[in-house]
């Protein structure tokens, strides 16, 4: 059974930082592209960042230069370091996994976590 569990969300002031973690189990972690998406009420789930198993990284324009995605294969964990946070970053953040190269469409991912809330105050 595949399971993805996010953690690390919380409330921060604008300009602050958070580090999200996604612990994966039940899959060959190193063979999957791992992604982060976010969603606010009434909106579609939005691509944030992804890391292929070959270590290439990809970011949405809205977070490029502020967020960093990384992976620790030994711990079966992917991270999202979020710096210089803005109020518009407020959302539920979801970890996702896909066997193959990354995609920016949420519907093309195979597995999802339950999400962790990130709230950025102004």
């Amino acid at each position: 059974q595949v399971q993805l569990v996010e953690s690390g969300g919380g409330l921060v002031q604008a300009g602050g930082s958070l580090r999200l973690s996604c612990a994966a189990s039940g899959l060959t972690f190193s063979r999957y592209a791992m992604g982060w998406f976010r969603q606010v009420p009434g909106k579609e789930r939005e691509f944030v960042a992804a890391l292929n198993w070959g270590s290439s990284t990809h970011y949405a324009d809205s977070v490029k230069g502020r967020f960093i995605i990384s992976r620790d294969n030994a711990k079966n964990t992917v991270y999202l370091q979020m710096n210089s946070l803005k109020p518009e970053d407020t959302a539920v953040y979801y970890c996702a996994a896909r066997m193959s190269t990354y995609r920016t469409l949420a519907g093309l991912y195979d597995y999802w976590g339950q999400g962790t809330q990130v709230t950025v105050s102004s």
Side-chain angles (χ1 to χ4, degrees):
Q1 184 177 2
V2 174
Q3 188 173 19
L4 304 178
V5 180
E6 301 98 334
S7 62
L11 173 64
V12 298
Q13 293 183 341
S17 298
L18 282 174
R19 184 181 183 236
L20 306 183
S21 298
C22 173
S25 61
L27 53 75
T28 305
F29 184 75
S30 63
R31 300 297 185 95
Y32 281 75
M34 303 298 297
W36 287 96
F37 291 75
R38 64 189 183 187
Q39 188 169 29
V40 299
K43 301 294 184 180
E44 295 182 349
R45 196 162 293 187
E46 175 190 24
F47 172 76
V48 176
L51 192 154
N52 285 326
W53 65 267
S55 298
S56 62
T57 58
H58 307 271
Y59 299 93
D61 288 341
S62 59
V63 306
K64 193 171 297 182
R66 299 188 297 121
F67 291 9
I68 302 171
I69 188 170
S70 61
R71 180 182 63 209
D72 187 336
N73 289 337
K75 296 181 179 179
N76 284 358
T77 301
V78 63
Y79 305 95
L80 185 67
Q81 178 67 46
M82 304 185 294
N83 301 314
S84 301
L85 283 162
K86 304 175 181 179
E88 52 263 43
D89 294 318
T90 296
V92 176
Y93 283 71
Y94 296 90
C95 177
R98 183 176 191 271
M99 181 179 284
S100 191
T101 55
Y102 90 101
R103 295 288 192 271
T104 59
L105 294 177
L108 297 177
Y109 281 73
D110 300 307
Y111 305 106
W112 293 87
Q114 294 298 305
T116 185
Q117 177 70 48
V118 172
T119 302
V120 184
S121 64
S122 59

